[in-house]
Amino acid sequence: MVCLEMQCDYIGSAMTSRTLRKRLHHGDVDGKKMEHLETSESDDLNVPLLGNYSDRHAEETTLEEIWDDERRKEHLHWTLLFSQLIAQWAQWLASIVLGSGSLIGRLLTFFTSTQNGASAKLFAPPLSPLQEARLRYLRQRLQVPFDGSRMEHQDALLELWRLAYPDKELPPLQSDLWKQMGWQGSDPSTDFRGGGFISLENLIFFARQYPESFQRLLHKQDGTRAEWEYPFAVAGINISFVLAQMLDLQSAKPTTLAGIRFLELLKEDEMAFDNLYCVAFQMMDAQWLVKRASFMDFNDVMKSTTSQLERELALEDVSSVKDLPAYNLLRR
């Protein structure tokens, strides 16, 4: 990025009993404009403010400064244009010629993230029709709120109870019995504000695909637990919400490394989000035990979980959820 430093001189006019000469300096320190004002006094009122410079010389200096400024602007314009062309070329080469899965391709994709000197966002490679369809379907799921008045949503909630407690009788939709699953009150529908219906789908998927891990986390069977444990169901809703944010799924195209790597997982697995959810839930519980956390530490545990998950998604040999090291924590 081209950095320009500017210095502006201002010569004041004569005042009643003395001459003031002022020079205003502009600097850029850590991105902040700083100004410094120097003032000098002269007892001789006859000293010309421009010293020995003639008006002619002042005019030439002004014109020269104008031309210099125009040349700098033109140079900056072509520099930015050239950097954009290079970034576009690198992105094309990474995604089409070398393929986004190769190491060199990924490095070139990283290069495009520093356009115009900004550390910013990455560019996702072009998606296949299959990836686009799966991503579109996932986004549609994310937009569905939980609605306790809809029969299919009520049925899904009861299905979760059957999977969690196969030997227990189904409770009413509003009952204190729901609290033992980790809902905050007697009406689970009030806990879906952030997660939406997909968070309930995630819990059901977890219970069906990895029943042993689901039961162990539900009943807190692993490790030495805290006196104040995290509520299982509410934690599950939070994980759905945080995972969608981490993967940048609300953007037209993900611009985070984790989000771009997730698009690659969609090539192999239509249910990549749900499987990644199960990994994240198991990973969160492992972090909880390592940190000897209690209820008030939940947010810190979630931050550690997302950081670890981002690191694993960045690994070179990960092309599916099953390639993640933390996937080995899950048990069927």
Side-chain angles (χ1 to χ4, degrees), residues 45-324:
L45 298 181
N46 295 320
V47 176
L49 295 179
L50 297 181
N52 295 323
Y53 293 97
S54 65
D55 293 339
R56 170 74 174 172
H57 182 80
E59 180 180 355
E60 291 176 352
T61 302
T62 302
L63 290 174
E64 183 179 353
E65 289 176 350
I66 292 174
W67 279 108
D68 286 343
D69 186 57
E70 291 297 324
R71 284 193 291 268
R72 283 195 295 268
K73 289 180 179 178
E74 183 178 2
H75 176 71
L76 177 60
H77 168 75
W78 287 108
T79 299
L80 294 179
L81 180 61
F82 182 71
S83 68
Q84 291 172 355
L85 290 174
I86 289 295
Q88 292 173 2
W89 172 82
Q91 182 182 359
W92 171 81
L93 185 62
S95 61
I96 298 178
V97 178
L98 299 178
S100 61
S102 67
L103 176 59
I104 297 177
R106 285 176 185 165
L107 289 175
L108 288 173
T109 303
F110 283 130
F111 171 75
T112 63
S113 69
T114 57
Q115 282 191 78
N116 305 333
S119 63
K121 302 177 177 180
L122 303 176
F123 293 91
L127 303 181
S128 68
L130 180 62
Q131 284 174 295
E132 288 182 348
R134 289 177 172 177
L135 181 59
R136 184 166 54 250
Y137 174 63
L138 177 56
R139 284 176 173 155
Q140 290 172 354
R141 293 175 62 196
L142 288 168
Q143 296 302 317
V144 179
F146 182 86
D147 186 351
S149 65
R150 294 178 60 176
M151 186 63 65
E152 59 268 35
H153 289 197
Q154 295 177 11
D155 291 342
L157 194 57
L158 294 175
E159 176 63 13
L160 178 63
W161 180 275
R162 292 189 192 96
L163 292 167
Y165 307 107
D167 300 327
K168 292 185 178 181
E169 184 178 353
L170 284 174
L173 290 173
Q174 295 186 21
S175 169
D176 284 342
L177 293 174
W178 289 100
K179 294 180 182 179
Q180 63 184 280
M181 191 189 291
W183 301 100
Q184 295 185 87
S186 59
D187 184 3
S189 64
T190 61
D191 289 332
F192 284 97
R193 300 181 191 91
F197 184 60
I198 194 173
S199 57
L200 179 54
E201 292 180 314
N202 291 154
L203 284 167
I204 292 173
F205 181 89
F206 192 11
R208 287 175 176 168
Q209 297 299 316
Y210 308 98
E212 183 177 350
S213 287
F214 179 89
Q215 290 292 333
R216 296 188 72 84
L217 267 61
L218 171 64
H219 298 289
K220 306 293 192 302
Q221 293 175 346
D222 294 330
T224 302
R225 316 302 305 198
E227 181 178 354
W228 292 94
E229 278 291 308
Y230 63 84
F232 175 81
V234 174
I237 292 177
N238 275 272
I239 291 172
S240 296
F241 177 76
V242 170
L243 190 59
Q245 283 194 320
M246 185 191 79
L247 300 178
D248 198 20
L249 294 176
Q250 302 299 333
S251 300
K253 276 192 175 182
T255 55
T256 63
L257 176 58
I260 293 173
R261 295 306 309 275
F262 174 73
L263 296 181
E264 297 180 27
L265 305 186
L266 282 178
K267 293 179 184 178
E268 306 295 331
D269 182 10
E270 181 180 7
M271 306 303 292
F273 183 82
D274 300 76
N275 277 305
L276 194 60
Y277 168 88
C278 299
V279 173
F281 208 142
Q282 183 69 67
M283 187 184 291
M284 184 277 293
D285 191 76
Q287 289 277 347
W288 182 273
L289 294 174
V290 167
K291 293 178 175 293
R292 300 179 182 275
S294 187
F295 181 78
M296 298 302 293
D297 302 315
F298 183 79
N299 287 338
D300 289 336
V301 172
M302 282 303 305
K303 290 179 182 178
S304 299
T305 301
T306 54
S307 296
Q308 182 183 349
L309 192 55
E310 287 171 341
R311 288 193 296 269
E312 294 198 6
L313 284 170
L315 295 175
E316 176 65 24
D317 57 350
V318 171
S319 59
S320 70
V321 176
K322 294 182 179 180
D323 294 330
L324 295 170

